[in-house]
Amino acid sequence: MAEKVFKKDDIIFRQGDEAKAFYKVLDGSVGIFANYDGSEDVKLAEIKKGEFFGEMAVIDAAPRTGTARVLENGTRVLEISTLELNDYFAEDPDSISGLMIVLSSRLRGLTKEYDHVKEVAAKLHLDDQDQDDDFLLDLKKYNYYYKVRPGSTTKPSAEILREEAANKKHSDGFAKNVVSYQKGTVICREGDLVDCMYDIHWGRVGIYSNFGTPDQVELTVLGADNFFGEMGMISGQPRSATAVALDDNTTVEIIYPQDFRELFEKNPLKVDMILKHLSNRLRVLTRQYLEECEKIVKSTGALV
């Protein structure tokens, strides 16, 4: 780990670079740009004191999806290499929750954007009088993202997928709170305020909206070695869906925020799995979002 000082407009890394480190801003600020040095570059985010950047590429070993440019003279950052990640967590265990908060915050924001782009796509077949100024502005925005961020749709390489598949089972190693449920048991209910997440060790868990009502919808079924409920734990907001055990003796590990320090000390691989899970969700959602942008651009043509 090393502290580095930069001048305004210095480049810390470029879009497409191999990820070898992530960073925490100690003083000053850093901008994240898409298509930097291109004809339509734009600032995607501004990272300020105490915030992380570049962490997603390190967690899942994918190329950089943006360029990091320094916005203020004297900006100081802490550079943490991939090989130093565990050492950094050992020195500052609270940073584990910090990284999870960063990733979950981006997931929440992008989920809202994704829901909106699908609404815009549904309007493409409306009459012109129903396509207001806001709708046309949306089209321009999606045209921009389609054009300048094609690299963000890159899928993980076969090598990365093989490495992830070779990971140990989630049930391996230290686990503090392990509970078994009988088939049909509601593990957590939509609307609940519960400060924990879950890791499935054995069996299947169904995720439902409007569970137990005529409007019930099965959103997905998760098997062993899957996490769920992390967004509710991190955000402190009510659960957005209901989780139900689908097999007798469905076994899950319950993880609370205060457990991360002990979990890292006794089973650091589990922490790595959680961070990779969040990062992968974000990359998948980004790819889906940009695919919707592409559909809109190709459907509208001259409109954008």
Side-chain angles (χ1 to χ4, degrees), residues 206-224:
I207 308 297
Y208 301 87
S209 64
N210 302 308
F211 181 73
T213 74
D215 298 323
Q216 175 177 311
V217 176
E218 181 184 272
L219 301 176
T220 189
V221 174
L222 301 173

Side-chain angles (χ1 to χ4, degrees), residues 5 13-14 20 37 40 54-55 67 81-82 90 104 117 120 125 141 157 165 168 174 180 275:
V5 181
F13 57 74
R14 293 185 180 276
K20 297 181 179 179
D37 292 335
E40 297 181 83
E55 74 291 331
T67 295
S81 75
T82 307
S104 64
V117 74
V120 172
H125 303 296
K141 178 174 70 173
S157 68
K168 294 181 179 179
F174 171 79
S180 292
L275 292 172

Side-chain angles (χ1 to χ4, degrees), residues 45-249:
E46 182 171 337
I47 314 301
K48 299 181 179 180
K49 182 177 180 179
E51 297 178 338
F52 296 98
F53 65 98
E55 74 291 331
M56 198 168 75
V58 173
I59 292 167
D60 63 9
R64 302 290 188 187
T65 57
T67 295
R69 176 167 66 83
V70 176
L71 301 180
E72 300 177 48
N73 279 324
T75 290
R76 289 192 307 123
V77 304
L78 179 64
E79 181 183 70
I80 305 108
S81 75
T82 307
L83 298 176
E84 295 170 324
L85 185 61
N86 282 353
D87 290 339
Y88 177 63
F89 286 161
E91 289 184 11
D92 184 9
D94 291 339
S95 63
I96 299 171
S97 295
L99 278 175
M100 291 183 65
I101 289 170
V102 168
L103 293 169
S104 64
S105 176
R106 293 179 186 174
L107 267 171
R108 287 196 302 274
L110 187 56
T111 297
K112 290 180 181 178
E113 285 289 327
Y114 181 57
D115 290 341
H116 185 64
V117 74
K118 289 193 292 185
E119 291 176 4
V120 172
K123 292 182 179 180
L124 291 178
H125 303 296
L126 297 178
D127 294 335
D128 289 342
Q129 60 264 28
D130 294 320
Q131 297 177 350
D132 55 20
D133 289 342
D134 287 340
F135 174 77
L136 295 177
L137 285 174
D138 282 331
L139 292 183
K140 291 180 179 179
K141 178 174 70 173
Y142 300 138
N143 183 62
Y144 163 76
Y145 276 109
Y146 167 63
K147 286 182 176 180
V148 306
R149 299 194 68 190
S152 298
T153 62
T154 303
K155 295 182 180 180
S157 68
E159 181 179 355
I160 291 173
L161 293 175
R162 283 196 302 271
E163 181 182 346
E164 291 179 353
N167 279 339
K168 294 181 179 179
K169 295 290 184 181
H170 288 205
S171 56
D172 290 345
F174 171 79
K176 190 170 184 178
N177 309 291
V178 178
V179 181
S180 292
Y181 299 98
Q182 295 307 299
K183 182 178 180 179
T185 302
V186 172
I187 299 172
C188 62
R189 191 176 296 277
E190 185 174 354
D192 284 352
L193 278 171
V194 184
D195 188 20
C196 65
M197 63 179 289
Y198 304 88
D199 182 9
I200 305 172
H201 288 192
W202 187 89
R204 296 174 302 141
V205 174
I207 308 297
Y208 301 87
S209 64
N210 302 308
F211 181 73
T213 74
D215 298 323
Q216 175 177 311
V217 176
E218 181 184 272
L219 301 176
T220 189
V221 174
L222 301 173
D225 302 329
N226 279 287
F227 298 102
F228 67 94
E230 70 281 352
M231 296 300 291
M233 179 189 74
I234 296 167
S235 67
Q237 297 177 355
R239 299 292 182 185
S240 59
T242 296
V244 180
L246 299 182
D247 298 304
D248 282 338
N249 297 316

